[in-house]
């Protein structure tokens, strides 16, 4: 019977542990979006927290964005995720899923 060196076992175990931790701690993708129209917005609309008159876009709207987690963008609109970060399953090995990905 062949015996593995302790360094091989330790390195292999560390790799599995690192992969598990990384997968469970992964943050879902986030995008800035208009909560009403679901239109993807520039990041500063979520970061600045303001919706002043100088933030008007081409349509004259000055809506403040909110972060949309997970999902995807199609035709400049977000879909398939949620504004609630806890509702988005990041998946991964050994992770428990909580919530659904409804919008």
């Amino acid at each position: 019977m062949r015996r593995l060196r302790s360094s091989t076992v330790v390195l292999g175990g560390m790799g599995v542990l690192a992969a598990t931790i990384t997968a469970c701690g992964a943050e879902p993708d986030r995008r800035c979006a208009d909560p009403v129209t679901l239109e993807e917005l520039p990041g500063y609309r979520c970061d600045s927290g303001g919706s002043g008159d100088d933030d008007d876009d081409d349509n004259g709207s000055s809506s403040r964005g909110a972060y949309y987690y997970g999902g995807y963008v199609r035709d400049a609109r977000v879909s398939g995720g949620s504004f609630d970060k806890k509702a988005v399953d990041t998946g991964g090995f050994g992770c428990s899923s909580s919530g659904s990905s409804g919008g």
Side-chain angles (χ1 to χ4, degrees), residues 19-89:
T20 302
I21 290 171
T22 310
C24 288
E27 292 287 319
D29 291 339
R30 80 175 183 181
R31 303 168 173 82
C32 187
D34 184 309
V36 177
T37 65
L38 299 179
E39 179 183 359
E40 186 177 30
L41 300 173
Y44 67 83
R45 289 280 181 95
C46 289
D47 294 333
S48 68
S51 60
D53 294 333
D54 58 345
D55 285 343
D56 290 348
D57 63 13
D58 295 338
N59 298 328
S61 171
S62 61
S63 62
R64 180 176 187 270
Y67 283 114
Y68 188 84
Y69 298 94
Y72 55 91
V73 177
R74 181 179 294 156
D75 297 328
R77 303 223 185 282
V78 294
S79 182
S82 176
F83 285 103
D84 181 6
K85 184 178 181 180
K86 295 176 188 173
V88 179
D89 182 18

